[in-house]
Amino acid sequence: LIAFMRPVTAATDDGEAVPSVPDTDTAAVDDTAGSVDISDETVPGLSSMAKAVKEEAVPIEELIAQLDALIGLSSVKSEVHTIINFLALAQERKKRHMSPIEQPLHLVFTGNPGTGKTTIARLLAKIYQSLGVMPEGTFVETDRSGLVGSYVGETSGKVRKVVDAAMGGVLFIDEAYSL
């Protein structure tokens, strides 16, 4: 899963672009509980601007309860429940030796700062791990500075390190629009 984050705007009746405002705030949720920071120790060369966290396995019921406890975000919660149901169906089909359903799990999270994009991405990483979709519960969070080099030729190495650290897990690129 690769999750990108960018702000969104809405158009007024006269076509003027204005930042969209979420209908409600998100609850304060400790979305790093059960996490182990693996940044610089086990991922050699990972930029200090990229944070890698290996998630501990959590039962799916507990993760769904955490999702449902978030304030607002009803359309997001509905979409996450749809993803969970889809993945459960795909696993059941696999168990019964039926043809697999191929569906990419790449997502784009849009919204203003503080609307829960990172929280939902971290929660999805834990959900994917709990459902057995991701072999590891790695969640790598970075932004432009963790991917783009300061001199010619540095960018490819930085990108490679971040992507390698995220293999088998989630790569979350904060403010991807700045790339």
Side-chain angles (χ1 to χ4, degrees), residues 154-167:
E154 184 184 23
T155 299
S156 64
K158 287 179 99 174
V159 169
R160 187 174 296 112
K161 287 175 185 171
V162 170
V163 170
D164 286 346
M167 291 303 286

Side-chain angles (χ1 to χ4, degrees), residues 101-172:
I101 303 172
E102 297 296 325
Q103 177 70 31
L105 299 175
H106 303 288
L107 302 171
V108 176
F109 294 94
T110 60
N112 293 324
T115 56
K117 296 176 294 292
T118 305
T119 299
I120 294 294
R122 287 182 180 146
L123 195 53
L124 269 171
K126 293 176 185 180
I127 288 169
Y128 287 168
Q129 180 188 21
S130 178
L131 292 174
V133 174
M134 290 187 333
E136 301 175 18
T138 305
F139 181 89
V140 177
E141 181 177 354
T142 191
D143 59 9
R144 183 182 195 283
S145 62
L147 296 171
V148 178
S150 57
Y151 58 86
V152 175
E154 184 184 23
T155 299
S156 64
K158 287 179 99 174
V159 169
R160 187 174 296 112
K161 287 175 185 171
V162 170
V163 170
D164 286 346
M167 291 303 286
V170 171
L171 172 57
F172 183 79

Side-chain angles (χ1 to χ4, degrees), residues 3-23:
F4 301 103
M5 192 167 86
R6 64 182 173 89
V8 294
T9 58
T12 61
D13 293 337
D14 60 359
E16 182 183 343
V18 294
S20 63
V21 180
D23 53 351

